[in-house]
Amino acid sequence: MPHPTIGPADLRDLLRCRYGRDVGQVTFVPAGEDSWAFRSDDLWISVRRDVRGHIAAAYEGARRLADDGLDFVLAPLRGETGEVVYEVRGTPVVVFPFVPSEPLSARPPDRREADEVRVALTRLHEAVVLPGLDLPRERFSFSFDRDLDAAALRAEEDQPPSGPFDLPFRALYRRHRALVASLRAEAADLGARLVVRGNPPVLTHGDPSAQNWIRTHDGIRLVDWGGLALGPAARDHFHLARTMGAAGGDDPEALAFYEIRWRLSEIAEYGSVFAAPHEDDDESRAMWHRLLRYLPGDVPAGGKAGR
């Protein structure tokens, strides 16, 4: 759905004032979950949503990696002041070159592409940690613990629904309350063991899934760098295994931790969405169906989610 306050006119002003680009048309593109996307000629403009927090240093890191020769990094462009992130109406905006492409998720990668992905990810993990850049470091804890606590509390409350998927979410959470508690306990145990190990971290992308690798005319590129952080290589290997069936590295405890974190983070995010005012629209229905991958259940009988 379009951004509630930022429109094409705002982004034309940004491109003119910060990038020296006078463009005629900026068009909203209904794509993505963690951003609002717009297209203007050879530019792709990403108005960030970043539910778990926006990290400007991650985009600066991607730009530096590309400048240092990691040619698979599709990095944001610098503006005339040298920055890669600007704010429009208090919301961070990042501008990328538009590259005609398709995601690897559109069709399974062949052996050459799979090898290219593995080599690229190895190059990232072997890259020198970027000096002077305050990137997040893996602490093996959950930034969304409060969201899970809020979902558990809301599931037991008797209050008017915030929207058509609120009550169904509460019922779904109650049904799987023990499962969620068990996953949280297992993740806490795994995280404590990984902290004790204290293995040196590497640069990791955070979500190198099939949706974020794209085929272009000159090879494979990796997009969506907002999660760049220091951590174990398993932080990335998990997503290769999850979306491409690729080998998941050799750290089963770390892989298990990231599998649980992914599942719980999705539950926490959709719980937050359905606790807030929302409508029975395409976006809400798509979120509900994704939630059912992690908490199996039915489409709400009172809504139109099955359309």
Side-chain angles (χ1 to χ4, degrees):
M1 307 294 288
H3 192 280
T5 60
I6 297 174
D10 300 299
L11 300 177
R12 281 196 297 270
D13 288 344
L14 171 72
L15 295 176
R16 183 178 65 255
C17 297
R18 298 299 189 183
Y19 293 87
R21 297 284 297 267
D22 280 315
V23 299
Q25 187 174 15
V26 175
T27 304
F28 173 67
V29 181
E33 290 183 46
D34 56 358
S35 67
W36 290 269
F38 294 80
R39 167 90 187 275
S40 180
D41 299 327
D42 60 347
L43 299 176
W44 184 265
I45 306 131
S46 181
V47 178
R48 303 306 305 170
R49 177 170 171 255
D50 297 327
V51 173
R52 301 297 168 207
H54 172 78
I55 307 297
Y59 296 98
E60 170 65 23
R63 181 66 267 166
R64 293 191 197 181
L65 289 170
D67 292 342
D68 286 346
L70 270 66
D71 51 359
F72 63 90
V73 177
L74 185 57
L77 301 172
R78 291 197 187 279
E80 294 183 339
T81 62
E83 297 168 89
V84 296
V85 180
Y86 293 97
E87 285 199 355
V88 175
R89 299 184 184 272
T91 299
V93 177
V94 189
V95 178
F96 296 85
F98 175 77
V99 180
S101 62
E102 70 169 4
L104 291 192
S105 57
R107 51 188 171 90
D110 58 29
R111 178 173 295 182
R112 179 189 60 79
E113 291 173 329
D115 288 343
E116 194 173 344
V117 164
R118 283 191 288 269
V119 169
L121 211 52
T122 299
R123 290 176 64 196
L124 172 63
H125 295 164
E126 293 176 348
V128 175
V129 175
L130 305 170
L133 198 61
D134 188 19
L135 286 172
R137 182 181 290 262
E138 180 62 83
R139 304 296 181 190
F140 301 105
S141 58
F142 295 159
S143 62
F144 50 84
D145 267 332
R146 289 185 179 180
D147 293 336
L148 288 171
D149 291 340
L153 181 63
R154 189 173 181 83
E156 304 301 329
E157 292 178 342
D158 182 16
Q159 56 180 294
S162 59
F165 291 89
D166 184 15
L167 292 180
F169 176 82
R170 292 189 225 176
L172 188 67
Y173 195 98
R174 287 195 299 272
R175 187 189 314 170
H176 295 291
R177 156 188 324 114
L179 171 63
V180 174
S182 173
L183 290 172
R184 296 181 74 177
E186 184 179 356
D189 181 60
L190 286 166
R193 294 208 294 270
L194 292 168
V195 168
V196 169
R197 275 204 233 159
N199 293 341
V202 298
L203 281 173
T204 59
H205 176 275
D207 186 12
S209 56
Q211 296 91 325
N212 286 331
W213 293 96
I214 59 173
R215 298 180 174 95
T216 73
H217 70 280
D218 59 353
I220 302 294
R221 300 283 194 93
L222 183 55
V223 303
D224 198 4
W225 287 88
L228 185 67
L230 295 166
R235 183 172 185 256
D236 288 341
H237 290 153
F238 160 69
H239 291 285
L240 288 189
R242 177 176 68 88
T243 62
M244 288 187 266
D250 56 0
D251 191 341
E253 283 193 332
L255 290 169
F257 173 83
Y258 286 110
E259 181 177 4
I260 295 172
R261 181 159 81 174
W262 175 259
R263 185 171 183 176
L264 290 176
S265 70
E266 294 291 281
I267 294 168
E269 178 173 346
Y270 297 134
S272 298
V273 169
F274 296 137
H278 62 278
E279 302 295 331
D280 188 2
D281 54 26
D282 288 343
E283 190 166 339
S284 294
R285 290 192 291 273
M287 288 184 181
W288 179 264
H289 282 287
R290 287 193 292 272
L291 171 65
L292 297 185
R293 301 172 188 170
Y294 309 104
L295 291 179
D298 303 316
V299 171
K304 305 174 212 171
R307 289 191 316 187

